[in-house]
Amino acid sequence: MDFELRSDYIPLCDLLKYCGVTETGGLAKMLVAEGMVEVDGEVELRKTAKIRSGQVVTGEGFTIHVH
């Protein structure tokens, strides 16, 4: 799926919640903490990592292209 940024960046856990990967921010934080999310092909463990335009966030069953 594609996500259109409206600012310079979005925290990773918020992106997962807004895109419907998880129902809540708490679940998004758990997913990240468990190493189940990759940013540009590398596991990302920082829950509030700044995701910027051009990055790709992936995990089991989802791919998010940030524009």
Side-chain angles (χ1 to χ4, degrees), residues 27-41:
L27 288 174
K29 289 177 183 179
M30 283 180 30
L31 199 66
V32 173
E34 292 174 2
M36 305 294 287
V37 178
E38 294 183 358
V39 176
D40 293 336

Side-chain angles (χ1 to χ4, degrees), residues 1-2 5-6 10 12-13 15 19-21 24 28-29 31 38 40-41 43 51 53 64-65:
M1 71 183 72
D2 291 320
L5 269 180
R6 295 195 175 121
I10 183 170
L12 178 57
C13 57
L15 176 67
C19 288
V21 173
T24 67
K29 289 177 183 179
L31 199 66
E38 294 183 358
D40 293 336
V43 173
I51 306 301
S53 181
I64 304 167
H65 298 271

Side-chain angles (χ1 to χ4, degrees), residues 39-52:
V39 176
D40 293 336
E42 298 198 15
V43 173
E44 179 59 76
L45 298 174
R46 297 172 296 158
K47 300 171 191 86
T48 58
K50 295 177 179 178
I51 306 301
R52 292 178 160 69

